[in-house]
Amino acid sequence: MKILVGILLIAALLMAIPYSHQLVDKEITTRGVPQDLVNYYTQTKEGQEFNCLTIKKRIPFELVNDDYCDCEDGSDEPGTNACSNSESPLSKQSKFFCRNRNYKPKYISYSKVNDGVCDCCDGSDENLPSGKQVCPNTCKELGKEIVSSLEKEIDTIKQALQIVQSEYINYGKAKYNELESEFKNLENEINEKSKKSEELKKKKEEMETVEGLEREMLREKKRSEMSQQTPEQPTEEEKPKTEEQTETNTENPESSEKVVEEPTPVYQEDEEVTNFKLPDLLQLFTQPIQFIKHIISLLRLKYFHNIKSNNEFKTMKTAAEEARKEFNDIENELSDLRNKRDEVEKKLKVNYGPFKELFKLSEQCFNIQQRQYTYEVCPFKDANQKENYSSVLLGRFKEMNDNVMKFEDGQHCWKVGARKAIVRLLCGLENKLVKVDEPSTCEYHLDMETPCACTEELLNKKQQDLDTFTK
């Protein structure tokens, strides 16, 4: 009887002893936990308790992954199937996380945990709370192929970076600087020729004014010569009046005061004046006002220019033609210069990469054969699909962002509209097109490898991926 009482007392004392305040092994508490939640399952100091993730409840860390569901949300058993019927907050699908170091991490259903089958290559799904490991860790062996592939990619990126630095960046910067210098020179030349054009325009206008006055003078001179060769005809006032006319005027005195308006004479072109082809010259003398105007023009021209012969008119006409030609020539030169400037300015606005490393690609075209078609991409210019001697424009260069070139406004496609193409730049040691696809009608996707797509950021990412497999 005394022995039984002693046993009961010892049991009561053991039940009254609190849980140990020593740190719980992290490998146990974080079993089945995704990397972004590991901190919640790591005990950092003695006496620290575990907080159930979605409910206000605390439990000792010793109760985490002990194969008994203490938190109603199941968050205390991420590495066992004890809470498989609860809504676990560890993932959207409420699954066990296989860390699989040195290989690919993944999630599995809680029903597969501790079922005697090795689903995780690191064996974490079958590690019992007792610490006994049922499944061997095969992740490192499985990860050899991935590690080898990542190491090759990293080596390729490093080589490509050296190529870009030595062959592309320096070349691109030099060419871009040349374009900037060419643009400035064209601007200066345009400004200089614009000033000269203004001067020649004024000169042309002045010569054309003189030419017009001389033309008018020549008209008057020829008319004068013709009038001297033609006998004068008596006017209506000078003709003797008949008795009937006298009687009529006496009866109707108002009619004698009426003035008959003559039509305005039509003058011929200069060439006709020069060659004396003026059948209507006699009408000039029936219009005295018009005659006076011509005399005034003649006197002005003789006063300012003292031109007396047709030869002198031809000389001034030639000078005017030369002035017009000089002005037209410089205007044509200005038009060509402005077109060149616009083309250079268009190139300067293109995104050739942060270090102008893509500029070299703009001077080349690349082809790939797929079935009966040859696809050609000229970066920053256009993309075409060729078959035998025919060619279809897939698009003209529109923009370049995040290593993706867009080509739009290609040849019209029935029921679709203008064709378009997207060229994605991938990291590689050579410049070449490697893939063509048409995901939808008349929309073309092409992959192109180039050293220019290999960046320090890509190198760092691949190195991090490699570290997850080797560390």
Side-chain angles (χ1 to χ4, degrees), residues 155-169 429 451 454 456:
D155 184 59
T156 297
I157 296 173
K158 288 180 178 178
Q159 291 183 53
L161 288 174
Q162 293 178 354
I163 295 173
V164 171
Q165 183 64 45
S166 61
E167 299 181 16
Y168 289 82
I169 292 180
L429 290 177
C454 302
E456 291 286 350

Side-chain angles (χ1 to χ4, degrees), residues 102-137:
N102 299 327
Y103 195 60
K104 299 176 181 179
K106 68 175 183 177
Y107 287 94
I108 63 171
S109 172
Y110 274 110
S111 62
K112 295 183 178 181
V113 177
N114 292 332
D115 64 348
V117 179
C118 300
D119 299 290
C120 303
C121 68
D122 62 0
S124 59
D125 61 313
E126 300 301 322
N127 278 351
L128 301 177
S130 61
K132 182 179 178 181
Q133 187 172 4
V134 178
C135 300
N137 190 332

